[in-house]
Amino acid sequence: MTTRAIDQAVVLQPDGDLCEGAACDELEQELFSLAEQGRHVIVDLSATRIVTAHGLGVLARAKRLAEASGGDLVLCGAANLQRWLLDVTHLAEVLPVYASQAEAAASLGRRAAVA
C-alpha cells in the first residue's frame, strides 16, 4: 500500500485485492488509525481489482469512525465494477467516489469549509 499526503488529506492506495487477507488487513489498520485521529482520508482504488463484502465493510466502518472523530473518508479511482458494487449496496450514498485524487481532495476541502 502506498501512503502520501495531498492537501489536507492522506491518500491510501492499496495495491492488492480488498478481500480477506494481508492487503485488506493492512488497509484496515491504517484506515482505523487515521480515522480515530480525525484525519481526512482518500482511498484510491485504481490499483485494486477486487473489493469484496469484507473490504466494503472495512471502508464503511472507517468512514463512520472518521466522521465521529471529525474527519472524513472518500474514494477515488474506482473501476466500473467497483462503482457498480458501491451503487448496488447503496454505499455510494455514504462513500462518495471521485474520478481522481485531485477531485477527492477538493471535495474534502469543501466539506471541511462547510463543517
Side-chain angles (χ1 to χ4, degrees):
M1 177 169 51
T2 304
T3 304
R4 69 182 190 92
I6 181 173
D7 295 331
Q8 299 293 319
V10 176
V11 178
L12 300 179
Q13 186 173 21
D15 54 8
D17 297 337
L18 295 183
C19 45
E20 305 277 339
C24 198
D25 292 345
E26 180 184 10
L27 177 66
E28 182 175 17
Q29 290 173 349
E30 187 68 22
L31 270 179
F32 288 6
S33 174
L34 292 167
E36 288 172 343
Q37 296 171 34
R39 301 293 303 271
H40 287 50
V41 180
I42 300 167
V43 178
D44 185 340
L45 298 174
S46 61
T48 303
R49 293 177 317 146
I50 299 170
V51 179
T52 65
H54 178 75
L56 290 176
V58 166
L59 294 171
R61 285 190 304 275
K63 169 77 170 182
R64 193 171 351 138
L65 182 59
E67 287 179 338
S69 301
D72 203 356
L73 184 144
V74 297
L75 307 175
C76 73
N80 288 338
L81 182 58
Q82 294 164 345
R83 285 180 179 267
W84 175 83
L85 187 58
L86 289 161
D87 286 338
V88 164
T89 59
H90 300 282
L91 284 173
E93 297 167 14
V94 294
L95 283 168
V97 182
Y98 297 92
S100 68
Q101 290 181 10
E103 288 178 20
S107 81
L108 289 171
R110 287 189 301 271
R111 290 166 185 249
V114 171

